Amino acid sequence: MDDRIRKLELTAARIRRNVLDICRQRGGYAAQGVALADIASVLYFDEMRADGNGWFHDRFVLSNGHDAIMTYGALAESGHYKMEDLRTINEDGGWVDQSPIEGQLGFEITAGSLGQGPSQSAGLAWALRHRGSDARVYCLFSDGELQEGNVWEGVMFAAHQKLSNLCYIVDNNDMQASGHASNVMNVEPVHDKFAAFGLHSIRISGTDIAELIDAFAQARSVTDKPSVLICDTRLWDGIDCLQEALPMAHYTAKTAVDWDAGLAEIGSVIAALEGVVG
Amino acid sequence: MTTLTQLEAADFINRSFKPLPRAYGDALVEAALGDQRIVTLCADLVPPTETDRFRDELPERFHNVGIAEANMIGLAGGMARSGEIPFCHSFCAFITKRVLDQITMQAAYPNLPVKIVGFLPGIATLLGVSHQAIEDIAIMRAVPNMAIFEPSGPEYHAAMVQLALEWDGPAYLRMKRPETTPTAFTPMPLEIGKGVVRREGTDITIISAGLCVHESLNAAELLSQKGIESRVIDMASIKPIDVDLIIESAIKTKAVITAENHSVIGGLGSAVAEVLMDEGIGIPFKRIGIQDQFCEGGTTPYLMRKFGIDADAITRAATAVIQRKKSK
């Protein structure tokens, strides 16, 4: 187990490095990508099952388009994307978009208009079950999206249909475009709200690999309702030297942080873990 | 006056981390200082919709409702029924398409003074199809009681607030925040139902709105070099539209093209065509706009070129229409 955890920690560190590498080109949602690296590591490299053809049997639906940076960072690590391609993000005429469209590898839906993933993933989970598939559906959305009524309509359907093959993941980072969610429009108590809607609700830090492995396993063991992992992430989680860098900034401008310092720090984390992992 | 903070500046539109002027936001605050009924609502996008100054200076009349556009329109409907004049803010794509039923039932049918203010018009965003509104004018034009106004530049932003207030009912403002500091300008007036003749010419009329007005004026210069003189109309009042000016221009120049940062289906071009057909005016005519397709993210000049709504595209269309006029 320890080796499994260390390997996933190493993968998470490499995802953080990839996120910084991509975002330093033209700016981006770097703080979210960094904070979601542990979730991405466990989800893509431990939890979701392979389909035997180089892709996944289980399905991942990204509801908030801007968190695509997490998927890019992870799928670069898995070899599905090349870093040299990802560094072209947001170039005019390029195909790597900050808010990706469906058809691009790793993106099931065209997100960006917020709060629409929970319904689409519930529909997908119902249809997979209806067709006798054992594939599980994972859907990531943010706490800011909980302000959209559409989210709760999807959640209600998922619970009503007892979609135990559906696992929602909430990036509960208390941050949205105009500031802290708790100041803009409070969404707490998130755990109680999902529980009241009939979901198996698990609240974790979202940045502890062992905790994430356990939470996903627990979600899998529930057979009569959908689950939700509420992850209390914070922007820049996992890179200490960037903690103070514009903690309010939802979007990180190219010139806003010391990318070299961030990369140096995560580089030493990677080196230390590489020394431990066989 | 509180200035835009660096942190707030760097999002969605202005990624320079430098404060930009906000002619619309300033005009809204000025209007609200003189009219206690004005309330501002915003669905999370405060700096990108220039409502940060209103938030800071008139907090008792400001609501950031969070990422909840449908709720925002409902709240505005309730406030308007009680005598307020709510200005609701988000991006064009979200504040029209996401909440059309709320707009029709909670603002348009009761004919309440709910002002719907969208930013990121048409294709003008890096964020791609989810944030692009290329069908919003078509949708909003079909809603009874709804007026639609679109400025061609920051000099008309203050007039947008005035037009919205003068229209005794729901209005949609299709706003474009400057991406860089605009050159100094004098605020320009507009009238409901009136187009502005921005350039005189007798060979062809180019009717345009929003971002395409500047492109049309540039096209007119290119055409002038070839001896074609264009009348360029800024149709900032898309609904109600200036029927008299369209007819007068069509009779005068005997050729009309339209140019808009919107689908060719249902927007300004369609509105002009409807006027011409209703009047039985059959003259060479062409609509420049997005050709019934979804677009992609990118810088605004790149997208305008790629999707054929820049000065070159307008020039080509005008030249072709002039040929048809000559061969008639």
Side-chain angles (χ1 to χ4, degrees), chain B residues 61-95:
Chain B
R61 283 192 271 158
F62 177 81
H63 299 276
N64 184 347
V65 301
I67 310 166
E69 299 79 10
N71 187 41
M72 175 165 64
I73 301 301
L75 294 170
M79 291 173 183
R81 286 178 192 279
S82 181
E84 315 298 343
I85 303 176
F87 280 68
C88 304
H89 299 79
S90 181
F91 290 152
C92 295
F94 307 144
I95 206 164

PDB file of all heavy atoms in Angstrom, chain B residues 61-95:
ATOM      1  N   ARG B  61     -27.486  48.620  -3.066  1.00  0.00           N
ATOM      2  CA  ARG B  61     -28.331  48.347  -4.241  1.00  0.00           C
ATOM      3  C   ARG B  61     -27.632  47.384  -5.201  1.00  0.00           C
ATOM      4  O   ARG B  61     -27.945  47.352  -6.384  1.00  0.00           O
ATOM      5  CB  ARG B  61     -28.673  49.660  -4.964  1.00  0.00           C
ATOM      6  CG  ARG B  61     -29.752  50.457  -4.265  1.00  0.00           C
ATOM      7  CD  ARG B  61     -30.252  51.570  -5.164  1.00  0.00           C
ATOM      8  NE  ARG B  61     -29.480  52.800  -5.010  1.00  0.00           N
ATOM      9  CZ  ARG B  61     -29.415  53.758  -5.941  1.00  0.00           C
ATOM     10  NH1 ARG B  61     -30.051  53.592  -7.085  1.00  0.00           N
ATOM     11  NH2 ARG B  61     -28.714  54.844  -5.729  1.00  0.00           N
ATOM     12  N   PHE B  62     -26.667  46.624  -4.681  1.00  0.00           N
ATOM     13  CA  PHE B  62     -25.933  45.685  -5.529  1.00  0.00           C
ATOM     14  C   PHE B  62     -26.082  44.257  -5.004  1.00  0.00           C
ATOM     15  O   PHE B  62     -25.990  44.019  -3.803  1.00  0.00           O
ATOM     16  CB  PHE B  62     -24.443  46.058  -5.556  1.00  0.00           C
ATOM     17  CG  PHE B  62     -23.602  45.096  -6.362  1.00  0.00           C
ATOM     18  CD1 PHE B  62     -23.532  45.198  -7.744  1.00  0.00           C
ATOM     19  CD2 PHE B  62     -22.907  44.064  -5.736  1.00  0.00           C
ATOM     20  CE1 PHE B  62     -22.778  44.300  -8.488  1.00  0.00           C
ATOM     21  CE2 PHE B  62     -22.148  43.157  -6.474  1.00  0.00           C
ATOM     22  CZ  PHE B  62     -22.086  43.277  -7.844  1.00  0.00           C
ATOM     23  N   HIS B  63     -26.328  43.334  -5.908  1.00  0.00           N
ATOM     24  CA  HIS B  63     -26.406  41.914  -5.524  1.00  0.00           C
ATOM     25  C   HIS B  63     -25.534  41.091  -6.452  1.00  0.00           C
ATOM     26  O   HIS B  63     -25.788  41.033  -7.653  1.00  0.00           O
ATOM     27  CB  HIS B  63     -27.838  41.389  -5.639  1.00  0.00           C
ATOM     28  CG  HIS B  63     -28.809  42.083  -4.755  1.00  0.00           C
ATOM     29  ND1 HIS B  63     -29.008  41.744  -3.438  1.00  0.00           N
ATOM     30  CD2 HIS B  63     -29.632  43.129  -4.994  1.00  0.00           C
ATOM     31  CE1 HIS B  63     -29.904  42.534  -2.902  1.00  0.00           C
ATOM     32  NE2 HIS B  63     -30.310  43.392  -3.829  1.00  0.00           N
ATOM     33  N   ASN B  64     -24.518  40.431  -5.891  1.00  0.00           N
ATOM     34  CA  ASN B  64     -23.833  39.377  -6.633  1.00  0.00           C
ATOM     35  C   ASN B  64     -24.559  38.086  -6.268  1.00  0.00           C
ATOM     36  O   ASN B  64     -24.417  37.578  -5.158  1.00  0.00           O
ATOM     37  CB  ASN B  64     -22.355  39.307  -6.242  1.00  0.00           C
ATOM     38  CG  ASN B  64     -21.585  38.294  -7.071  1.00  0.00           C
ATOM     39  OD1 ASN B  64     -22.179  37.477  -7.778  1.00  0.00           O
ATOM     40  ND2 ASN B  64     -20.269  38.337  -6.965  1.00  0.00           N
ATOM     41  N   VAL B  65     -25.341  37.577  -7.200  1.00  0.00           N
ATOM     42  CA  VAL B  65     -26.207  36.429  -6.894  1.00  0.00           C
ATOM     43  C   VAL B  65     -25.468  35.102  -7.028  1.00  0.00           C
ATOM     44  O   VAL B  65     -26.051  34.046  -6.809  1.00  0.00           O
ATOM     45  CB  VAL B  65     -27.451  36.404  -7.804  1.00  0.00           C
ATOM     46  CG1 VAL B  65     -28.248  37.690  -7.627  1.00  0.00           C
ATOM     47  CG2 VAL B  65     -27.073  36.197  -9.267  1.00  0.00           C
ATOM     48  N   GLY B  66     -24.178  35.166  -7.395  1.00  0.00           N
ATOM     49  CA  GLY B  66     -23.441  33.928  -7.641  1.00  0.00           C
ATOM     50  C   GLY B  66     -23.692  33.435  -9.059  1.00  0.00           C
ATOM     51  O   GLY B  66     -24.259  34.145  -9.898  1.00  0.00           O
ATOM     52  N   ILE B  67     -23.223  32.212  -9.320  1.00  0.00           N
ATOM     53  CA  ILE B  67     -23.362  31.647 -10.667  1.00  0.00           C
ATOM     54  C   ILE B  67     -24.782  31.084 -10.771  1.00  0.00           C
ATOM     55  O   ILE B  67     -25.007  29.887 -10.617  1.00  0.00           O
ATOM     56  CB  ILE B  67     -22.294  30.567 -10.900  1.00  0.00           C
ATOM     57  CG1 ILE B  67     -20.900  31.100 -10.531  1.00  0.00           C
ATOM     58  CG2 ILE B  67     -22.310  30.106 -12.369  1.00  0.00           C
ATOM     59  CD1 ILE B  67     -19.850  30.009 -10.408  1.00  0.00           C
ATOM     60  N   ALA B  68     -25.730  31.969 -10.984  1.00  0.00           N
ATOM     61  CA  ALA B  68     -27.143  31.577 -10.900  1.00  0.00           C
ATOM     62  C   ALA B  68     -27.958  32.556 -11.745  1.00  0.00           C
ATOM     63  O   ALA B  68     -28.680  33.405 -11.226  1.00  0.00           O
ATOM     64  CB  ALA B  68     -27.609  31.580  -9.440  1.00  0.00           C
ATOM     65  N   GLU B  69     -27.847  32.416 -13.074  1.00  0.00           N
ATOM     66  CA  GLU B  69     -28.447  33.393 -13.979  1.00  0.00           C
ATOM     67  C   GLU B  69     -29.969  33.361 -13.936  1.00  0.00           C
ATOM     68  O   GLU B  69     -30.628  34.409 -13.971  1.00  0.00           O
ATOM     69  CB  GLU B  69     -27.948  33.153 -15.407  1.00  0.00           C
ATOM     70  CG  GLU B  69     -26.439  33.297 -15.579  1.00  0.00           C
ATOM     71  CD  GLU B  69     -25.642  32.081 -15.106  1.00  0.00           C
ATOM     72  OE1 GLU B  69     -26.266  31.035 -14.806  1.00  0.00           O
ATOM     73  OE2 GLU B  69     -24.406  32.161 -15.020  1.00  0.00           O
ATOM     74  N   ALA B  70     -30.534  32.152 -13.874  1.00  0.00           N
ATOM     75  CA  ALA B  70     -31.991  32.046 -13.861  1.00  0.00           C
ATOM     76  C   ALA B  70     -32.562  32.719 -12.613  1.00  0.00           C
ATOM     77  O   ALA B  70     -33.559  33.449 -12.671  1.00  0.00           O
ATOM     78  CB  ALA B  70     -32.417  30.575 -13.919  1.00  0.00           C
ATOM     79  N   ASN B  71     -31.893  32.476 -11.501  1.00  0.00           N
ATOM     80  CA  ASN B  71     -32.320  33.116 -10.263  1.00  0.00           C
ATOM     81  C   ASN B  71     -32.215  34.630 -10.373  1.00  0.00           C
ATOM     82  O   ASN B  71     -33.096  35.363  -9.897  1.00  0.00           O
ATOM     83  CB  ASN B  71     -31.453  32.593  -9.107  1.00  0.00           C
ATOM     84  CG  ASN B  71     -31.929  33.079  -7.756  1.00  0.00           C
ATOM     85  OD1 ASN B  71     -33.123  33.127  -7.482  1.00  0.00           O
ATOM     86  ND2 ASN B  71     -30.994  33.455  -6.898  1.00  0.00           N
ATOM     87  N   MET B  72     -31.172  35.111 -11.024  1.00  0.00           N
ATOM     88  CA  MET B  72     -30.975  36.559 -11.173  1.00  0.00           C
ATOM     89  C   MET B  72     -32.154  37.202 -11.912  1.00  0.00           C
ATOM     90  O   MET B  72     -32.649  38.261 -11.491  1.00  0.00           O
ATOM     91  CB  MET B  72     -29.668  36.830 -11.918  1.00  0.00           C
ATOM     92  CG  MET B  72     -29.422  38.299 -12.233  1.00  0.00           C
ATOM     93  SD  MET B  72     -27.721  38.649 -12.724  1.00  0.00           S
ATOM     94  CE  MET B  72     -27.594  37.722 -14.252  1.00  0.00           C
ATOM     95  N   ILE B  73     -32.599  36.569 -13.001  1.00  0.00           N
ATOM     96  CA  ILE B  73     -33.722  37.144 -13.759  1.00  0.00           C
ATOM     97  C   ILE B  73     -35.003  37.102 -12.916  1.00  0.00           C
ATOM     98  O   ILE B  73     -35.796  38.045 -12.915  1.00  0.00           O
ATOM     99  CB  ILE B  73     -33.917  36.386 -15.093  1.00  0.00           C
ATOM    100  CG1 ILE B  73     -32.637  36.469 -15.951  1.00  0.00           C
ATOM    101  CG2 ILE B  73     -35.117  36.940 -15.865  1.00  0.00           C
ATOM    102  CD1 ILE B  73     -32.184  37.861 -16.323  1.00  0.00           C
ATOM    103  N   GLY B  74     -35.189  36.016 -12.182  1.00  0.00           N
ATOM    104  CA  GLY B  74     -36.366  35.924 -11.316  1.00  0.00           C
ATOM    105  C   GLY B  74     -36.354  37.004 -10.250  1.00  0.00           C
ATOM    106  O   GLY B  74     -37.363  37.672 -10.000  1.00  0.00           O
ATOM    107  N   LEU B  75     -35.202  37.184  -9.607  1.00  0.00           N
ATOM    108  CA  LEU B  75     -35.075  38.239  -8.596  1.00  0.00           C
ATOM    109  C   LEU B  75     -35.371  39.598  -9.212  1.00  0.00           C
ATOM    110  O   LEU B  75     -36.082  40.423  -8.622  1.00  0.00           O
ATOM    111  CB  LEU B  75     -33.654  38.245  -8.014  1.00  0.00           C
ATOM    112  CG  LEU B  75     -33.224  37.016  -7.206  1.00  0.00           C
ATOM    113  CD1 LEU B  75     -31.726  37.081  -6.908  1.00  0.00           C
ATOM    114  CD2 LEU B  75     -34.022  36.907  -5.925  1.00  0.00           C
ATOM    115  N   ALA B  76     -34.835  39.817 -10.425  1.00  0.00           N
ATOM    116  CA  ALA B  76     -35.038  41.103 -11.100  1.00  0.00           C
ATOM    117  C   ALA B  76     -36.520  41.316 -11.402  1.00  0.00           C
ATOM    118  O   ALA B  76     -37.040  42.434 -11.238  1.00  0.00           O
ATOM    119  CB  ALA B  76     -34.206  41.152 -12.381  1.00  0.00           C
ATOM    120  N   GLY B  77     -37.196  40.259 -11.833  1.00  0.00           N
ATOM    121  CA  GLY B  77     -38.629  40.369 -12.097  1.00  0.00           C
ATOM    122  C   GLY B  77     -39.383  40.785 -10.841  1.00  0.00           C
ATOM    123  O   GLY B  77     -40.244  41.669 -10.875  1.00  0.00           O
ATOM    124  N   GLY B  78     -39.039  40.158  -9.733  1.00  0.00           N
ATOM    125  CA  GLY B  78     -39.687  40.494  -8.464  1.00  0.00           C
ATOM    126  C   GLY B  78     -39.398  41.933  -8.058  1.00  0.00           C
ATOM    127  O   GLY B  78     -40.294  42.671  -7.628  1.00  0.00           O
ATOM    128  N   MET B  79     -38.150  42.328  -8.216  1.00  0.00           N
ATOM    129  CA  MET B  79     -37.783  43.712  -7.853  1.00  0.00           C
ATOM    130  C   MET B  79     -38.502  44.721  -8.747  1.00  0.00           C
ATOM    131  O   MET B  79     -38.982  45.760  -8.273  1.00  0.00           O
ATOM    132  CB  MET B  79     -36.260  43.884  -7.987  1.00  0.00           C
ATOM    133  CG  MET B  79     -35.468  43.118  -6.939  1.00  0.00           C
ATOM    134  SD  MET B  79     -33.676  43.208  -7.283  1.00  0.00           S
ATOM    135  CE  MET B  79     -33.038  42.151  -5.973  1.00  0.00           C
ATOM    136  N   ALA B  80     -38.576  44.403 -10.048  1.00  0.00           N
ATOM    137  CA  ALA B  80     -39.231  45.323 -10.984  1.00  0.00           C
ATOM    138  C   ALA B  80     -40.722  45.447 -10.673  1.00  0.00           C
ATOM    139  O   ALA B  80     -41.306  46.529 -10.818  1.00  0.00           O
ATOM    140  CB  ALA B  80     -39.016  44.851 -12.421  1.00  0.00           C
ATOM    141  N   ARG B  81     -41.333  44.363 -10.233  1.00  0.00           N
ATOM    142  CA  ARG B  81     -42.756  44.426  -9.866  1.00  0.00           C
ATOM    143  C   ARG B  81     -42.976  45.335  -8.670  1.00  0.00           C
ATOM    144  O   ARG B  81     -44.080  45.808  -8.420  1.00  0.00           O
ATOM    145  CB  ARG B  81     -43.286  43.021  -9.541  1.00  0.00           C
ATOM    146  CG  ARG B  81     -43.494  42.155 -10.764  1.00  0.00           C
ATOM    147  CD  ARG B  81     -43.974  40.753 -10.391  1.00  0.00           C
ATOM    148  NE  ARG B  81     -43.904  39.848 -11.531  1.00  0.00           N
ATOM    149  CZ  ARG B  81     -44.818  39.774 -12.494  1.00  0.00           C
ATOM    150  NH1 ARG B  81     -45.886  40.564 -12.445  1.00  0.00           N
ATOM    151  NH2 ARG B  81     -44.673  38.935 -13.492  1.00  0.00           N
ATOM    152  N   SER B  82     -41.919  45.553  -7.929  1.00  0.00           N
ATOM    153  CA  SER B  82     -42.014  46.414  -6.754  1.00  0.00           C
ATOM    154  C   SER B  82     -41.518  47.828  -7.043  1.00  0.00           C
ATOM    155  O   SER B  82     -41.393  48.639  -6.140  1.00  0.00           O
ATOM    156  CB  SER B  82     -41.202  45.792  -5.615  1.00  0.00           C
ATOM    157  OG  SER B  82     -41.292  46.566  -4.462  1.00  0.00           O
ATOM    158  N   GLY B  83     -41.207  48.118  -8.316  1.00  0.00           N
ATOM    159  CA  GLY B  83     -40.868  49.491  -8.680  1.00  0.00           C
ATOM    160  C   GLY B  83     -39.401  49.755  -8.951  1.00  0.00           C
ATOM    161  O   GLY B  83     -39.029  50.871  -9.308  1.00  0.00           O
ATOM    162  N   GLU B  84     -38.546  48.752  -8.783  1.00  0.00           N
ATOM    163  CA  GLU B  84     -37.118  48.962  -9.050  1.00  0.00           C
ATOM    164  C   GLU B  84     -36.847  48.827 -10.553  1.00  0.00           C
ATOM    165  O   GLU B  84     -37.659  48.280 -11.302  1.00  0.00           O
ATOM    166  CB  GLU B  84     -36.254  47.928  -8.301  1.00  0.00           C
ATOM    167  CG  GLU B  84     -36.632  47.701  -6.854  1.00  0.00           C
ATOM    168  CD  GLU B  84     -36.498  48.943  -5.982  1.00  0.00           C
ATOM    169  OE1 GLU B  84     -35.833  49.904  -6.386  1.00  0.00           O
ATOM    170  OE2 GLU B  84     -37.112  48.947  -4.890  1.00  0.00           O
ATOM    171  N   ILE B  85     -35.674  49.288 -10.962  1.00  0.00           N
ATOM    172  CA  ILE B  85     -35.203  49.088 -12.337  1.00  0.00           C
ATOM    173  C   ILE B  85     -33.914  48.268 -12.254  1.00  0.00           C
ATOM    174  O   ILE B  85     -32.824  48.812 -12.073  1.00  0.00           O
ATOM    175  CB  ILE B  85     -34.948  50.424 -13.062  1.00  0.00           C
ATOM    176  CG1 ILE B  85     -36.218  51.272 -13.055  1.00  0.00           C
ATOM    177  CG2 ILE B  85     -34.473  50.168 -14.492  1.00  0.00           C
ATOM    178  CD1 ILE B  85     -36.034  52.658 -13.662  1.00  0.00           C
ATOM    179  N   PRO B  86     -34.035  46.938 -12.348  1.00  0.00           N
ATOM    180  CA  PRO B  86     -32.848  46.096 -12.192  1.00  0.00           C
ATOM    181  C   PRO B  86     -32.056  45.975 -13.493  1.00  0.00           C
ATOM    182  O   PRO B  86     -32.627  45.732 -14.559  1.00  0.00           O
ATOM    183  CB  PRO B  86     -33.424  44.728 -11.795  1.00  0.00           C
ATOM    184  CG  PRO B  86     -34.914  44.871 -11.821  1.00  0.00           C
ATOM    185  CD  PRO B  86     -35.271  46.152 -12.477  1.00  0.00           C
ATOM    186  N   PHE B  87     -30.755  46.156 -13.393  1.00  0.00           N
ATOM    187  CA  PHE B  87     -29.812  45.875 -14.484  1.00  0.00           C
ATOM    188  C   PHE B  87     -29.115  44.561 -14.134  1.00  0.00           C
ATOM    189  O   PHE B  87     -28.433  44.469 -13.118  1.00  0.00           O
ATOM    190  CB  PHE B  87     -28.777  47.002 -14.626  1.00  0.00           C
ATOM    191  CG  PHE B  87     -29.269  48.210 -15.367  1.00  0.00           C
ATOM    192  CD1 PHE B  87     -30.249  49.030 -14.833  1.00  0.00           C
ATOM    193  CD2 PHE B  87     -28.743  48.546 -16.616  1.00  0.00           C
ATOM    194  CE1 PHE B  87     -30.702  50.155 -15.521  1.00  0.00           C
ATOM    195  CE2 PHE B  87     -29.183  49.662 -17.316  1.00  0.00           C
ATOM    196  CZ  PHE B  87     -30.172  50.469 -16.774  1.00  0.00           C
ATOM    197  N   CYS B  88     -29.287  43.537 -14.978  1.00  0.00           N
ATOM    198  CA  CYS B  88     -28.757  42.201 -14.704  1.00  0.00           C
ATOM    199  C   CYS B  88     -27.543  41.954 -15.601  1.00  0.00           C
ATOM    200  O   CYS B  88     -27.602  42.234 -16.798  1.00  0.00           O
ATOM    201  CB  CYS B  88     -29.806  41.137 -15.014  1.00  0.00           C
ATOM    202  SG  CYS B  88     -31.344  41.398 -14.135  1.00  0.00           S
ATOM    203  N   HIS B  89     -26.490  41.389 -15.045  1.00  0.00           N
ATOM    204  CA  HIS B  89     -25.229  41.267 -15.800  1.00  0.00           C
ATOM    205  C   HIS B  89     -24.660  39.856 -15.826  1.00  0.00           C
ATOM    206  O   HIS B  89     -24.588  39.179 -14.805  1.00  0.00           O
ATOM    207  CB  HIS B  89     -24.170  42.198 -15.185  1.00  0.00           C
ATOM    208  CG  HIS B  89     -24.547  43.643 -15.218  1.00  0.00           C
ATOM    209  ND1 HIS B  89     -25.427  44.188 -14.307  1.00  0.00           N
ATOM    210  CD2 HIS B  89     -24.180  44.645 -16.054  1.00  0.00           C
ATOM    211  CE1 HIS B  89     -25.585  45.478 -14.587  1.00  0.00           C
ATOM    212  NE2 HIS B  89     -24.844  45.784 -15.638  1.00  0.00           N
ATOM    213  N   SER B  90     -24.236  39.447 -17.008  1.00  0.00           N
ATOM    214  CA  SER B  90     -23.439  38.227 -17.177  1.00  0.00           C
ATOM    215  C   SER B  90     -22.816  38.316 -18.575  1.00  0.00           C
ATOM    216  O   SER B  90     -22.760  39.401 -19.155  1.00  0.00           O
ATOM    217  CB  SER B  90     -24.302  36.977 -17.027  1.00  0.00           C
ATOM    218  OG  SER B  90     -23.520  35.802 -17.160  1.00  0.00           O
ATOM    219  N   PHE B  91     -22.382  37.198 -19.107  1.00  0.00           N
ATOM    220  CA  PHE B  91     -21.921  37.190 -20.489  1.00  0.00           C
ATOM    221  C   PHE B  91     -23.136  36.984 -21.395  1.00  0.00           C
ATOM    222  O   PHE B  91     -24.138  36.364 -21.004  1.00  0.00           O
ATOM    223  CB  PHE B  91     -20.879  36.100 -20.712  1.00  0.00           C
ATOM    224  CG  PHE B  91     -19.556  36.373 -20.051  1.00  0.00           C
ATOM    225  CD1 PHE B  91     -18.727  35.341 -19.650  1.00  0.00           C
ATOM    226  CD2 PHE B  91     -19.125  37.681 -19.839  1.00  0.00           C
ATOM    227  CE1 PHE B  91     -17.497  35.601 -19.042  1.00  0.00           C
ATOM    228  CE2 PHE B  91     -17.898  37.953 -19.237  1.00  0.00           C
ATOM    229  CZ  PHE B  91     -17.092  36.902 -18.837  1.00  0.00           C
ATOM    230  N   CYS B  92     -23.038  37.480 -22.636  1.00  0.00           N
ATOM    231  CA  CYS B  92     -24.173  37.412 -23.575  1.00  0.00           C
ATOM    232  C   CYS B  92     -24.720  35.987 -23.693  1.00  0.00           C
ATOM    233  O   CYS B  92     -25.938  35.778 -23.714  1.00  0.00           O
ATOM    234  CB  CYS B  92     -23.734  37.884 -24.957  1.00  0.00           C
ATOM    235  SG  CYS B  92     -23.246  39.616 -25.031  1.00  0.00           S
ATOM    236  N   ALA B  93     -23.815  35.006 -23.768  1.00  0.00           N
ATOM    237  CA  ALA B  93     -24.255  33.629 -23.982  1.00  0.00           C
ATOM    238  C   ALA B  93     -25.145  33.153 -22.838  1.00  0.00           C
ATOM    239  O   ALA B  93     -26.141  32.459 -23.054  1.00  0.00           O
ATOM    240  CB  ALA B  93     -23.039  32.709 -24.115  1.00  0.00           C
ATOM    241  N   PHE B  94     -24.764  33.519 -21.615  1.00  0.00           N
ATOM    242  CA  PHE B  94     -25.472  32.967 -20.453  1.00  0.00           C
ATOM    243  C   PHE B  94     -26.743  33.747 -20.139  1.00  0.00           C
ATOM    244  O   PHE B  94     -27.737  33.176 -19.700  1.00  0.00           O
ATOM    245  CB  PHE B  94     -24.540  32.967 -19.230  1.00  0.00           C
ATOM    246  CG  PHE B  94     -23.223  32.279 -19.487  1.00  0.00           C
ATOM    247  CD1 PHE B  94     -22.051  32.742 -18.919  1.00  0.00           C
ATOM    248  CD2 PHE B  94     -23.163  31.171 -20.329  1.00  0.00           C
ATOM    249  CE1 PHE B  94     -20.841  32.118 -19.169  1.00  0.00           C
ATOM    250  CE2 PHE B  94     -21.953  30.540 -20.583  1.00  0.00           C
ATOM    251  CZ  PHE B  94     -20.788  31.015 -20.002  1.00  0.00           C
ATOM    252  N   ILE B  95     -26.717  35.061 -20.361  1.00  0.00           N
ATOM    253  CA  ILE B  95     -27.842  35.883 -19.914  1.00  0.00           C
ATOM    254  C   ILE B  95     -28.982  35.904 -20.934  1.00  0.00           C
ATOM    255  O   ILE B  95     -30.022  36.521 -20.707  1.00  0.00           O
ATOM    256  CB  ILE B  95     -27.368  37.312 -19.566  1.00  0.00           C
ATOM    257  CG1 ILE B  95     -28.303  37.938 -18.535  1.00  0.00           C
ATOM    258  CG2 ILE B  95     -27.227  38.170 -20.816  1.00  0.00           C
ATOM    259  CD1 ILE B  95     -27.744  39.135 -17.846  1.00  0.00           C
TER     260      ILE B  95
END
